[in-house]
Each structure stands twice: as C-alpha cells, then as structure tokens.
C-alpha cells in the first residue's frame, strides 16, 4: 500500500508531506510519548521528529524570473533559510506533518481509551503506566528502530 501524501499551504508556501514508514512512526511515537508521559521531552527528541518530517516534506518553488514553472524540492535542503524567523510557520508545518502521519492513530486511541484526541500528555501517561506498571524504567531505553537517512534528511 503506498504511503499517503498530503498538501497544505502555510504562510503563502505550498508543502507536500508524505507519510513515514511504520517503523519510523513507531520511533516518533515512542520518543514523544516517553517525553510527554515523564515530563521530560528533550531537545534531541524534537530534533529527531523535525529531521524525520523535513526528510518527508517537499516545498513548492515557483520560478518568478522565468516562465513561472513550479517544482517540488526537498524541504531538508532549504529548511534553515526557509523557516528563519518564521516559527509560527514551523509550528503549523510540524502540526500538519504530525496529522498526516498520526491522525488515524490518535482517533483510534481516543475511541479505545476514552481520551480526548488532543490530550496527548494524558494518553501517553496512561500508556506508560500500563506498560511499566507505574515504573518509568521499562520505557526509558531507546527504540532499536532507527530511521533510514532518507527519512531523517540527515
């Protein structure tokens, strides 16, 4: 089954996000879940998620000096300059990439666990408590799954 690709416009720019593979998605959920449940989200967790999503995102570039041709380029190549000083746009892009990848997961969990769809912190605390019996030791090791360099953009 092919991975879903979705487009959105943010701040006048068009982005195309392709879903990451299941193993990479699992690793993202584990990192974010552990960080939120333990109130210990680390900068490297954010970096990991950002790098995975920028590796699965394309940005549409319009040739304004030529024929107006539109082409898609990897966001990873221009991320730093493209988003410089545009942190609201970064937040919107991350939200869109997260929804592209995990909207069905969040909806299913909300139905199964009675957790509101937007309440991730509470959800991940429930998961950690259930997995570890209340102890954080069972979920502190890193996932053995590492994304490929094509998915992380690094």
């Amino acid at each position: 089954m092919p991975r879903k690709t979705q487009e959105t416009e943010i701040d006048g720019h068009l982005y195309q996000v392709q879903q990451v593979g299941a193993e990479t998605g699992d690793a993202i959920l584990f990192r974010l879940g552990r960080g939120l449940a333990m109130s210990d989200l680390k900068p490297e967790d954010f970096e990991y998620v950002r790098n995975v999503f920028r590796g699965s995102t394309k940005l549409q570039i319009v040739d304004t000096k030529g024929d107006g041709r539109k082409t898609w380029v990897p966001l990873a190549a221009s991320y730093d300059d493209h988003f410089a000083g545009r942190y609201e746009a970064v937040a919107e892009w991350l939200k869109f990439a997260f929804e592209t990848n995990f909207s069905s997961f969040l909806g299913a969990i909300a139905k199964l666990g009675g957790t509101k769809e937007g309440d991730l912190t509470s959800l991940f605390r429930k998961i950690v408590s259930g997995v570890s019996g209340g102890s954080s030791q069972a979920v502190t090791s890193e996932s053995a799954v590492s994304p490929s360099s094509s998915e992380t953009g690094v």
Side-chain angles (χ1 to χ4, degrees):
M1 180 172 175
R3 297 180 189 179
K4 180 173 66 174
T5 299
Q6 293 185 330
E7 293 181 11
T8 191
E9 184 175 346
I10 300 169
D11 197 25
H13 298 275
L14 196 58
Y15 301 88
Q16 193 177 72
V17 175
Q18 183 180 38
Q19 289 178 322
V20 298
E23 291 180 358
T24 301
D26 292 346
I28 288 172
L29 289 173
F30 178 82
R31 282 177 171 254
L32 292 179
R34 182 196 61 213
L36 290 171
M38 312 243 179
S39 299
D40 189 29
L41 199 57
K42 295 179 176 11
E44 53 267 20
D45 296 325
F46 173 76
E47 273 183 49
Y48 175 82
V49 172
R50 181 199 61 208
N51 289 341
V52 167
F53 286 156
R54 57 180 215 187
S56 68
T57 301
K58 293 181 182 178
L59 171 67
Q60 188 177 77
I61 303 293
V62 180
D63 180 2
T64 58
K65 295 181 181 179
D67 61 5
R69 184 176 35 156
K70 298 175 182 179
T71 56
W72 291 99
V73 298
L75 179 62
S78 62
Y79 177 89
D80 199 37
D81 289 332
H82 176 71
F83 282 124
R86 301 177 54 237
Y87 298 105
E88 183 177 348
V90 171
E92 290 180 37
W93 162 71
L94 281 170
K95 179 179 181 275
F96 178 71
F98 197 85
E99 289 170 348
T100 298
N101 282 277
F102 301 111
S103 62
S104 63
F105 169 81
L106 295 174
I109 292 297
K111 288 177 188 172
L112 292 173
T115 303
K116 288 189 277 181
E117 196 165 327
D119 189 7
L120 289 176
T121 303
S122 161
L123 165 67
F124 286 122
R125 282 192 180 126
K126 283 183 180 181
I127 291 170
V128 168
S129 295
V131 168
S132 66
S135 167
S136 63
Q137 290 181 333
V139 293
T140 56
S141 64
E142 286 299 316
S143 171
V145 176
S146 296
S148 66
S149 59
S150 65
E151 287 186 321
T152 62
V154 292

